[in-house]
Amino acid sequence: MSQVPLLEVEDLAVSFATRAGRVPVLDQVSFRLNKGETVAMVGESGSGKSVTAYAMLRLLDRAGRVDRGGVRFAGADLLALTDSEMADIRGREVAMIFQNPRAALNPTRRVGDQIGDVLSRHGAVPGHQLRARVVELLDQVKIPDPARRARAYAFELSGGMCQRVMIALALACSPALLIADEPTTGLDVTTQAAVMALIRGLAKSRTMATILITHDLALAAEQADRVIVMHAGHIVEDAPTAQLFAHPRHPYTRALLNATPKTSGALDDLQAIPGGLPDLSGPDVPPCRFVSRCTQPIDACSRDPLPRLVEGERRVACHRPLEAA
Amino acid sequence: MIPLLDVAELEVRFPVRQKAGLARRTPSFVHAVDDVSLTVAAGETVGLVGESGCGKSTLARTLCRLIDATAGSIRLEGREIVDTHVRRAAKAPWRGDIQLVFQDALDAINPRMTAFQAIADPLKRLRGVRSGPELTATVTEVAASCGIAETLLGRFPHQLSGGQRARVGIARAIACRPKLLVLDEPTAALDVSVQVVILQLLARLKRELGMSYVFVSHDLNVVRMFCDRIIVMYLGKIVEIGPADEVFRHPRHPYTRALIQAIPSGIPGAAPQAVIEGEAKSPIDPNPNACRFVGRCPNEERRCSEAAPPFVSLSRTHQARCHLLRGSE
Ligand SMILES: Nc1ncnc2c1ncn2[C@@H]1O[C@H](COP(=O)(O)OP(=O)(O)OP(=O)(O)O)[C@@H](O)[C@H]1O
Ligand SMILES: Nc1ncnc2c1ncn2[C@@H]1O[C@H](COP(=O)(O)OP(=O)(O)OP(=O)(O)O)[C@@H](O)[C@H]1O
Ligand SMILES: [Mg+2]
Ligand SMILES: [Mg+2]
């Protein structure tokens, strides 16, 4: 399968200026995404999932900097575009659902008007149809009473409704790539199922590719074609969904699965992953950043550069991967 | 014995802004919380679940007296706290006994405070701890128990990841050891590993200090594991209430059934479970003489749109609000 990928992230490295000096946050992040493909990005909090998305869309805050690497989207080198070219792509061809919907919405503007703004900025619908289209979009994400709710401000909506407004905003222009950062975190499971069905439907009918950033491994399992596992700014595993869940190769992936609540079992059966993410601002970050938490480290882990094993469609960054079964 | 928290017939309504220029009609209201009665015993964990927008956060905030109720009663250890207006509640003597972990950590943390200051703040305000080694020690200890590394304590909220912020929000709320902690989706932004740490921490605090929780969450697997009892809300009303394991094994209200069916299975590629059709009715001026689930209910009958359903007792501890259920007594 030598399809030209829609998105190619190559050796991306990002750092942030902090009081304690420059902290490298992403390192050697590489992955690809085909047209219409859905890939889930999982990994613990602080592992760099959102930063990866922000870096791709050039939305890092001022302290952040891309130190190395490239992002190609539909043939364009996103990191080399002018700001206005980038602004053009953002919202129209690549859309993002932000992790914190209430903060991402403008508090002083009615939510319907905000969606209208996006539509008219990209000339997506003629002016006289704007209102109707806005209400239709809100209806699509299952906001009850959409015509009235279009007139509400963000603070008048529940957390989950803000989330759905964000989704409506992102989908307004039928993007080719949707980056959804925890799109269903604030939603109950029935609404979550409806929203994911909506995203999946669009992905199918318009061959929209999706990056689904989530903590919910069960959701990732159900929705994604492929799963990328991040840990401390590295991609440690990248594999087709069924293979990853059946036989995780990286010890961190297995640990994540053991920490996930299931539909049966008790709280005490769940195992937290020992230790925390290493302090990346320090001088001697080991090549494998999982080594201090790993159940089966060998000498090479803290000595040699991290290997990138490729096996068919799977990639794993580990000196001693688990049995493939 | 009086329960720690005793809520009766609580009601919260928000006025709806009218379209400018329209002649003044009778004002409309969002019925966010309607006729809610519940108790929480000392050391008990009560889960609160329901569709997005059904009023969970409004209920949580009203219990913590951050929103004024329009009617009803809230007793904390027998003392009526519903009449204390929001502004005065901030200084009430019981303030430290009931704390809220916000759904959105950014709502709770002042952007100009470092993580350290955010955790120290309630200790200073509500428990009178002065700055000094004691405060530093307490803050560091609470932070560590929530999995916040010391190096993060000097950071401002925008320099923390979503999950790191959520942990600061939890640390801040448990710092002054409240009797009742109301948690509004505390683990939604957390990864599974930290979630385990936090849930096990909360379980320990409950065992050791007898703390009680009202736990709002969309993660039903977590609710099942963590809660003694569960309350299911739909459009402002409680539709089912009962012991957690019983409700999960034998959900009786059709909405509860749909909810439990929609829990992601975690099976790769599994077609998502059937979900309920349609969408919730508007919470603005709902029909008082009908079940709120009408229009989506698979078992609906005529009487469902003619009268509001009563609570039916299915056992001594399990009730549901549905016309089609028959009581056990
Ligand atoms: N502006 C910033 N200044 C300094 N460090 C930052 C900044 N923004 C993010 N970071 C750091 O970068 C790392 C990665 O953050 P990121 O937000 O990508 O995590 P994440 O994987 O999305 O986590 P979560 O699941 O909690 O959202 C974290 O350690 C975070 O503290
Ligand atoms: N300040 C307000 N003014 C007007 N309406 C409000 C206000 N706050 C909440 N509402 C409305 O009250 C209802 C309940 O909202 P609430 O935030 O309690 O829901 P929730 O159950 O917490 O939902 P979620 O799961 O999405 O967080 C919603 O219809 C919401 O739009
Ligand atoms: Mg994030
Ligand atoms: Mg809420």
Side-chain angles (χ1 to χ4, degrees):
Chain A
M1 230 186 36
S2 61
Q3 196 184 142
V4 181
L6 176 71
L7 175 77
E8 250 178 307
V9 174
E10 209 48 62
D11 194 27
L12 194 65
V14 170
S15 63
F16 280 98
T18 69
R19 278 189 191 173
R22 208 151 249 295
V23 184
V25 163
L26 290 189
D27 182 40
Q28 301 176 59
V29 167
S30 305
F31 66 95
R32 292 158 176 230
L33 187 62
N34 289 327
K35 256 192 178 160
E37 191 181 22
T38 297
V39 56
M41 202 174 249
V42 304
E44 71 197 89
S45 167
S47 58
K49 305 179 298 292
S50 298
V51 169
T52 303
Y54 290 149
M56 281 166 25
L57 291 187
R58 308 226 321 242
L59 291 173
L60 288 173
D61 75 26
R62 256 181 299 143
R65 184 178 77 195
V66 174
D67 296 318
R68 211 177 39 247
V71 179
R72 293 194 75 77
F73 170 77
D77 178 357
L78 293 191
L79 302 184
L81 296 180
T82 65
D83 287 350
S84 81
E85 285 169 335
M86 188 65 218
D88 228 32
I89 287 189
R90 223 185 283 134
R92 198 180 55 199
E93 289 177 54
V94 187
M96 175 145 179
I97 299 171
F98 290 92
Q99 190 168 5
N100 186 329
R102 209 184 292 271
L105 290 171
N106 180 343
T108 64
R109 217 161 144 58
R110 297 175 198 279
V111 295
D113 294 344
Q114 294 186 55
I115 299 174
D117 291 347
V118 172
L119 290 171
S120 46
R121 177 159 2 109
H122 296 293
V125 279
H128 66 279
Q129 285 173 15
L130 210 58
R131 267 262 63 87
R133 179 75 182 129
V134 165
V135 172
E136 187 183 310
L137 281 164
L138 289 174
D139 190 44
Q140 227 177 42
V141 290
K142 306 218 177 289
I143 298 237
D145 210 348
R148 265 213 260 192
R149 289 311 171 99
R151 305 180 50 77
Y153 294 93
F155 77 89
E156 296 171 318
L157 299 178
S158 77
M161 283 165 143
C162 286
Q163 193 92 30
R164 282 179 274 170
V165 170
M166 273 303 296
I167 294 171
L169 257 174
L171 298 178
C173 295
S174 314
L177 171 62
L178 174 70
I179 303 176
D181 196 353
E182 304 277 356
T184 59
T185 315
L187 301 181
D188 60 281
V189 287
T190 56
T191 311
Q192 166 172 299
V195 163
M196 289 313 301
L198 173 75
I199 293 179
R200 224 180 23 252
L202 287 170
K204 255 219 171 76
S205 66
R206 306 177 186 163
T207 53
M208 175 179 79
T210 311
I211 299 179
L212 173 66
I213 300 177
T214 181
H215 288 305
D216 186 342
L217 274 80
L219 184 73
E222 282 187 0
Q223 303 290 337
D225 304 312
R226 215 147 49 80
V227 179
I228 290 175
V229 183
M230 291 196 74
H231 178 266
H234 281 156
I235 291 181
V236 295
E237 186 159 6
D238 176 347
T241 307
Q243 293 180 27
L244 185 112
F245 281 88
H247 304 291
R249 303 283 331 264
H250 198 285
Y252 177 62
T253 311
R254 180 175 64 184
L256 272 182
L257 293 174
N258 289 341
T260 301
K262 315 284 184 320
T263 42
S264 60
L267 184 55
D268 292 331
D269 300 337
L270 299 180
Q271 293 161 30
I273 305 173
L277 294 176
D279 178 9
L280 299 177
S281 59
D284 21 56
V285 182
C288 170
R289 296 175 177 180
F290 188 62
V291 63
S292 65
R293 316 171 77 183
C294 189
T295 47
Q296 48 168 47
I298 53 177
D299 289 346
C301 303
S302 25
R303 191 185 57 217
D304 302 340
L306 199 58
R308 313 265 155 187
L309 310 178
V310 180
E311 298 160 353
E313 292 179 84
R314 301 191 71 160
R315 291 188 305 146
V316 56
C318 182
H319 281 285
R320 196 185 168 196
L322 305 170
E323 289 299 324
Chain B
M1 217 180 83
I2 35 170
L4 177 66
L5 185 76
D6 190 348
V7 176
E9 289 159 34
L10 194 68
E11 179 195 285
V12 184
R13 295 186 180 172
F14 298 108
V16 179
R17 195 174 299 102
Q18 301 289 334
K19 206 166 180 170
L22 268 190
R24 294 238 157 252
R25 293 174 299 159
T26 30
S28 291
F29 290 92
V30 174
H31 293 223
V33 172
D34 205 352
D35 188 19
V36 163
S37 302
L38 59 97
T39 60
V40 182
E44 191 184 31
T45 302
V46 176
L48 188 57
V49 304
E51 196 160 57
S52 160
C54 72
K56 303 178 298 296
S57 296
T58 305
L59 176 57
R61 286 179 187 229
T62 310
L63 296 182
C64 296
R65 303 302 297 103
L66 299 174
I67 293 180
D68 283 327
T70 37
S73 134
I74 304 173
R75 287 168 188 275
L76 184 67
E77 297 185 302
R79 172 175 7 188
E80 183 61 74
I81 62 169
V82 89
D83 323 311
T84 315
H85 280 286
V86 165
R87 252 187 240 115
R88 294 247 228 86
K91 295 200 188 68
W94 41 264
R95 178 76 278 177
D97 292 339
I98 175 164
Q99 286 283 309
L100 176 67
V101 175
F102 285 82
Q103 177 166 11
D104 194 336
L106 280 178
D107 282 355
I109 311 174
N110 182 332
R112 278 183 256 284
M113 281 189 184
T114 62
F116 182 93
Q117 289 164 334
I119 301 170
D121 174 58
L123 283 165
K124 292 204 246 181
R125 266 188 311 112
L126 303 172
R127 294 289 191 235
V129 185
R130 300 274 191 77
S131 298
E134 189 201 331
L135 182 70
T136 311
T138 314
V139 170
T140 323
E141 186 201 314
V142 172
S145 69
C146 295
I148 304 165
E150 244 183 289
T151 48
L152 295 179
L153 288 176
R155 294 209 192 166
F156 291 95
H158 75 273
Q159 296 171 317
L160 298 169
S161 81
Q164 289 164 341
R165 275 198 297 258
R167 275 177 272 175
V168 173
I170 293 171
R172 178 183 151 87
I174 61 172
C176 52
R177 296 277 152 88
K179 291 178 181 154
L180 176 69
L181 189 60
V182 179
L183 302 116
D184 195 356
E185 304 196 37
T187 60
L190 299 181
D191 58 84
V192 287
S193 179
V194 181
Q195 170 172 287
V196 176
V197 173
I198 298 282
L199 291 175
Q200 289 175 347
L201 165 74
L202 292 173
R204 204 186 74 221
L205 290 173
K206 169 174 159 171
R207 260 195 324 270
E208 292 172 2
L209 306 174
M211 245 161 96
S212 304
Y213 305 112
V214 172
F215 188 84
V216 181
S217 178
H218 285 308
D219 190 330
L220 297 169
N221 290 332
V222 168
V223 170
R224 184 188 57 76
M225 285 189 313
F226 187 67
C227 299
D228 305 313
R229 276 193 305 140
I230 154 171
I231 295 176
V232 185
M233 284 180 74
Y234 188 83
L235 269 183
K237 290 217 183 205
I238 294 181
V239 296
E240 186 156 1
I241 181 166
D245 52 344
E246 193 173 319
V247 173
F248 274 93
R249 264 187 295 118
H250 302 294
R252 303 294 297 275
H253 193 281
Y255 173 68
T256 315
R257 292 204 175 134
L259 200 62
I260 287 170
Q261 259 174 31
I263 300 175
S265 62
I267 299 164
Q273 306 285 317
V275 289
I276 27 175
E277 298 289 317
E279 59 200 41
K281 287 206 169 356
S282 169
I284 301 170
D285 300 336
N287 177 0
N289 294 318
C291 171
R292 299 209 173 160
F293 199 44
V294 158
R296 296 173 100 187
C297 183
N299 325 331
E300 190 173 320
E301 294 179 358
R302 231 189 55 213
R303 56 184 160 159
C304 303
S305 2
E306 290 169 350
F311 255 125
V312 178
S313 285
L314 304 158
S315 74
R316 212 166 42 77
T317 50
H318 188 175
Q319 283 115 37
R321 218 194 268 267
C322 175
H323 280 300
L324 300 172
L325 291 173
R326 213 156 307 253
S328 64
E329 276 105 315

